[in-house]
Amino acid sequence: MSLPHELIPTPRFLMGPGPSDVHPRVLRAMATPLIGHLDPQFLVIMDEVKRMLQATFQTTNEMTLAVSATGSAGMETCFVNLLQPGDEALVCVNGVFGNRMADIVGRCGAKLHRVDAPWGSPIDPQQVEDALRECKPKLVALVHAETSTGVLQPLTDISRIVHEAGALLLVDAVTSLGGTDVRVDDWGIDAVFSGTQKCLSAPPGLSPVSFSPRAVAAMDARKTKVQSWYLDMRMVRNYWGEQRTYHHTAPISLMYALHEALRIILTEELEARFARHRRNHELLRDGLEELGFTLVVEPPYRLPMLNTAWIPESLADAPTRRRLLDEYNIEIGAGLGEFAGKVWRIGLMGCSSTENHVHMLLSALKRIMRPT
Ligand SMILES: *Cc1c(COP(=O)(O)O)cnc(C)c1O
């Protein structure tokens, strides 16, 4: 047989909903020679990753680690460890990822209650308060940064309401972590998961998670085994903890990548990083509005790292995105679900949040829209 050519895809500028551009230092870290995943040197690396994740999540939670799979596995980890068959859960849905959480609740054998808000709007705390008068769930779940709609969900009021009802607060921070404030301790978040390929700007494949002591107590009080062997935190925590009991082989190169990505984040410092994401979002917003785009989300709830804009009538959706890719090597995201064909999703995540990225995309769009 004749072998395929060596893989050399044309480099792209990643301005979609993830993955984002990865810093060369992170790529270099991935080329570091492998060591064993129980090598004492690797255990130091895991401890450092844990400490840097705690700093990034702004938490002192002891149970903070990276699940060996993408963000959706972090989502599944939170639910399967906290819910037992017959438990009740309230899920807030205003986009694709809220729906995914609702799906997982059903697969855990738990009873699902849901609160819905229109796509492009946040969940109103009053809705949660009203729902909690009708049911008494073990946990309430919602998405901090809904990547399908571009909505940033305020969490402080909802957190208070959820805890007054005696429930745990479970938050999807896949897109927000590393791009905007995620104050796990201050906001009373009990279970949180993220992903590496959004604002952390590492390759996909790991899902940072963190559990409050309250959530850990709920896991310890379980009477039934977690339905997933791979995601069972009772075993995974022993691999990340003092015992270092073998559970599965850590994806070593990805851990090198996350280690370097977190070093870059904490060197930049969280506040400066969040300010950079806000600045570049504003620059993009101004440029898009000048070109005749309207943003989907009301100003107070706009995500700085994921911009959703209605596609003007004059522009064909797929062919224009294809031209951006073929002629300019720029990837942006299509609309998902209800927003398919109507909305573009433009990511400015982590290393992709630069003035250069913004100017490049705006110039390309200008040339496509106003050829002269
Ligand atoms: C990307 C994303 C996920 C899923 O993460 P994967 O890494 O694709 O599995 C979950 N929630 C949100 C909000 C996301 O943006």
Side-chain angles (χ1 to χ4, degrees):
M1 124 197 206
S2 69
L3 284 175
H5 292 290
E6 189 187 350
L7 269 182
I8 315 179
T10 308
R12 310 288 199 193
F13 297 97
L14 299 178
M15 302 182 68
S20 59
D21 285 342
V22 172
H23 197 285
R25 268 170 56 189
V26 172
L27 295 175
R28 199 166 58 212
M30 287 184 78
T32 306
L34 294 197
I35 56 177
H37 75 116
L38 294 171
D39 186 311
Q41 297 180 95
F42 192 70
L43 303 183
V44 171
I45 291 172
M46 285 173 73
D47 279 340
E48 289 176 349
V49 165
K50 173 178 165 176
R51 272 201 291 118
M52 290 192 287
L53 283 178
Q54 287 172 324
T56 309
F57 273 128
Q58 305 183 60
T59 184
T60 56
N61 286 344
E62 188 47 37
M63 198 190 279
T64 301
L65 52 87
V67 173
S68 304
T70 68
S72 305
M75 181 187 285
E76 197 137 23
T77 298
C78 291
F79 284 99
V80 299
N81 282 277
L82 291 173
L83 292 179
Q84 297 186 89
D87 281 346
E88 299 187 25
L90 175 66
V91 179
C92 303
V93 181
N94 56 349
V96 165
F97 295 102
N99 260 322
R100 187 172 297 181
M101 295 200 289
D103 186 356
I104 292 175
V105 166
R107 289 164 191 256
C108 294
K111 181 165 169 25
L112 171 71
H113 302 275
R114 56 188 278 168
V115 158
D116 283 85
W119 281 44
S121 302
I123 304 289
D124 181 348
Q126 190 62 49
Q127 289 178 277
V128 177
E129 196 160 3
D130 292 346
L132 288 175
R133 264 192 225 108
E134 308 295 319
C135 61
K136 187 133 185 35
K138 184 172 186 186
L139 62 83
V140 176
L142 75 176
V143 180
H144 187 215
E146 215 352 309
T147 322
S148 59
T149 64
V151 168
L152 177 67
Q153 176 67 49
L155 290 173
T156 45
D157 287 343
I158 289 181
S159 174
R160 181 180 41 77
I161 293 165
V162 168
H163 290 123
E164 278 170 7
L168 298 167
L169 179 64
L170 193 167
V171 171
D172 175 335
V174 173
T175 285
S176 47
L177 190 69
T180 191
D181 239 343
V182 179
R183 297 178 173 267
V184 170
D185 286 0
D186 288 353
W187 297 347
I189 300 173
D190 295 299
V192 62
F193 59 94
S194 189
T196 40
Q197 77 275 28
K198 315 253 169 138
C199 290
L200 300 182
S201 271
L206 288 173
S207 175
V209 296
S210 184
F211 295 96
S212 73
R214 240 187 325 235
V216 175
M219 290 181 204
D220 288 343
R222 287 183 74 97
K223 302 221 162 44
T224 57
K225 269 191 177 179
V226 171
Q227 80 210 49
S228 162
W229 180 88
Y230 192 66
L231 303 177
D232 187 343
M233 291 303 295
R234 225 179 260 192
M235 293 186 283
V236 175
R237 77 203 268 194
N238 288 338
Y239 176 41
W240 280 79
E242 301 275 296
Q243 302 89 330
R244 300 293 177 184
T245 321
Y246 164 70
H247 178 254
H248 65 276
T249 310
I252 294 156
S253 310
L254 285 174
M255 205 73 83
Y256 291 160
L258 179 58
H259 186 273
E260 190 61 13
L262 291 170
R263 270 169 28 87
I264 289 171
I265 289 168
L266 296 172
T267 305
E268 182 178 9
E269 295 188 344
L270 295 180
E271 263 319 311
R273 192 174 177 89
F274 303 156
R276 166 165 67 81
H277 279 82
R278 273 196 303 276
R279 267 197 321 274
N280 291 321
H281 154 71
E282 285 162 8
L283 192 64
L284 178 68
R285 171 202 64 198
D286 293 348
L288 286 175
E289 287 178 350
E290 226 168 88
L291 283 171
F293 286 83
T294 317
L295 296 200
V296 173
V297 179
E298 289 302 313
Y301 305 110
R302 282 180 191 159
L303 287 176
M305 73 289 287
L306 195 282
N307 305 271
T308 44
W310 300 106
I311 307 166
E313 297 250 326
S314 58
L315 272 183
D317 173 23
T320 309
R321 280 187 290 107
R322 188 61 202 247
R323 280 191 66 186
L324 286 171
L325 196 62
D326 290 344
E327 296 170 30
Y328 300 93
N329 289 310
I330 296 173
E331 178 184 272
I332 63 166
L336 267 188
E338 288 182 23
F339 282 172
K342 298 182 189 145
V343 162
W344 279 347
R345 296 183 299 149
I346 303 169
L348 295 171
M349 300 181 175
C351 290
S352 295
S353 175
T354 74
E355 278 185 42
N356 277 347
H357 280 79
V358 174
H359 291 312
M360 198 167 43
L361 173 65
L362 291 172
S363 318
L365 281 175
K366 220 171 271 173
R367 291 177 64 143
I368 291 173
M369 295 169 79
R370 302 181 185 154
T372 40

